[in-house]
Amino acid sequence: MAHTRAETFDIGGELTVNRLGFGAMRITGEGIIGEPDDSENAREVLRRAVELGVNFIDTADSYGPGVSERLLGETLDTEREDLVIATKGGLLRNTDSDCLPHGDPDYLRNAQLCSRDRLRMDPIDLYQLHTPDPDTPFEESVHALAELKDEGLIRHVGLSNVTVDQLERAREIVEIATVQNEYNVSNRKDEAVLEACENAGIGFIPWFPLAAGELDGVDGIQSIADRHDATPHQIALAWLLDRSEVTLPIPGTSSIDHLEQNVAAAEIELTDDELATLG
């Protein structure tokens, strides 16, 4: 018996997207720093994603930093109604590729203005706190995003790398449209966060959806892939789409071939027995 699933999700109850999106982290340079080796190839990947029906693209100001957002703004019509762009603020980068949380409200307000300029968007569709900052009260960071929404600078607020408790605290301040946490077929430690999103109708964006290099330990995935004439990575994406109707996987790549393989995964229908094997 084949498992059926919804093809679209309404972010914030209003922005309808195809559930398989694109993560724009890998269109930057090595270590997610600087320009990609081939900027024109990066632009071709973005254009091809939209041609293939991808209408939800996720990025962050820390990718480059700034490079991913700028390439998106220069390459695509980011304000077209049928394309939803999400970005994130609150994470600093340096040339050692360190990731440093920075959730200060004034910084977030400034970061959002910079993102808006690079993306050429007014307002930004979905603006996410990249990670809680241990040096800034969590509620203060969330209040800053709530104010940006009230001022019409962003349409929807999202969170990333949060616990169930943090999600609940944030929801007391502002409506949360999405949560983006690490989650994939081989790492399900944030199952409780996914379930909380499911119960509240909040979109759940699993980052690291392909669990690069970690699929070998997933029982049965290779035989299921063989049965569908697919790759284990495609099965991992199909599983995420089947896992819940609120999941919005965003596999990223700098290769058009890999992009096309990823998008094709949305057509794979896993049977109940196959889902049970992976479960």
Side-chain angles (χ1 to χ4, degrees):
M1 173 182 166
H3 199 75
T4 58
R5 60 176 178 238
E7 294 180 357
T8 63
F9 180 81
D10 295 339
I11 293 175
E14 64 161 3
L15 301 178
T16 302
V17 297
N18 294 325
R19 288 181 51 219
L20 188 68
F22 177 77
M25 183 177 77
R26 298 189 183 281
I27 61 168
T28 62
E30 187 176 348
I32 324 302
I33 297 290
E35 291 284 319
D37 290 339
D38 185 342
S39 293
E40 186 50 38
N41 175 72
R43 297 175 197 278
E44 285 298 325
V45 169
L46 292 173
R47 287 190 280 259
R48 183 64 178 141
V50 174
E51 283 175 6
L52 291 169
V54 172
N55 61 356
F56 177 50
I57 297 178
D58 177 82
T59 185
D61 64 358
S62 62
Y63 300 162
V67 173
S68 175
E69 288 182 330
R70 181 175 51 75
L71 284 170
L72 274 161
E74 290 174 353
T75 306
L76 301 178
D77 177 4
T78 52
E79 291 202 312
R80 56 188 270 187
E81 287 188 10
D82 60 346
L83 180 64
V84 174
I85 306 287
T87 192
K88 299 179 283 291
L91 195 67
L92 303 180
R93 301 297 296 274
N94 59 32
T95 51
D96 294 327
S97 293
D98 295 330
C99 298
L100 310 168
H102 195 61
D104 175 78
D106 287 330
Y107 173 75
L108 290 172
R109 296 179 70 85
N110 183 79
Q112 184 273 335
L113 291 173
C114 294
S115 291
R116 186 169 64 152
D117 180 63
R118 286 185 292 259
L119 287 168
R120 305 182 183 185
M121 292 183 73
D122 181 17
I124 290 175
D125 294 325
L126 173 63
Y127 194 75
Q128 306 156 89
L129 178 65
H130 206 142
T131 192
D133 177 0
D135 296 327
T136 303
F138 178 67
E139 280 80 358
E140 290 185 13
S141 299
V142 176
H143 269 292
L145 301 196
E147 290 167 3
L148 291 171
K149 184 181 178 184
D150 287 344
E151 292 164 21
L153 296 171
I154 61 178
R155 293 177 69 175
H156 295 284
V157 174
L159 303 172
S160 185
N161 301 307
V162 292
T163 63
V164 172
D165 174 65
Q166 288 167 330
L167 171 58
E168 291 173 350
R169 285 156 53 196
R171 291 183 69 210
E172 293 177 3
I173 297 168
V174 65
E175 183 179 349
I176 299 299
T178 59
V179 170
Q180 182 168 168
N181 280 20
E182 181 175 2
Y183 185 85
N184 53 59
V185 70
S186 68
N187 178 356
R188 309 180 198 183
K189 64 180 177 59
D190 277 353
E191 198 81 49
V193 181
L194 169 56
E195 289 178 10
C197 289
E198 230 172 7
N199 292 336
I202 293 170
F204 183 83
I205 305 169
W207 65 260
F208 205 41
L210 295 178
E214 297 176 9
L215 294 178
D216 293 346
V218 179
D219 288 343
I221 194 166
Q222 185 62 60
S223 60
I224 293 171
D226 293 343
R227 208 173 300 142
H228 287 272
D229 193 23
T231 68
H233 287 131
Q234 288 177 308
I235 300 302
L237 287 173
W239 178 84
L240 279 171
L241 290 166
D242 274 311
R243 173 60 190 83
S244 168
E245 294 197 347
V246 305
T247 54
L248 304 168
I250 48 163
T253 181
S254 59
S255 157
I256 287 180
D257 286 346
H258 287 160
L259 168 69
E260 292 174 347
Q261 286 180 19
N262 291 340
V263 172
E267 304 302 318
I268 295 173
E269 293 191 4
L270 299 175
T271 66
D272 289 344
D273 286 346
E274 288 168 340
L275 289 169
T277 298
L278 295 172

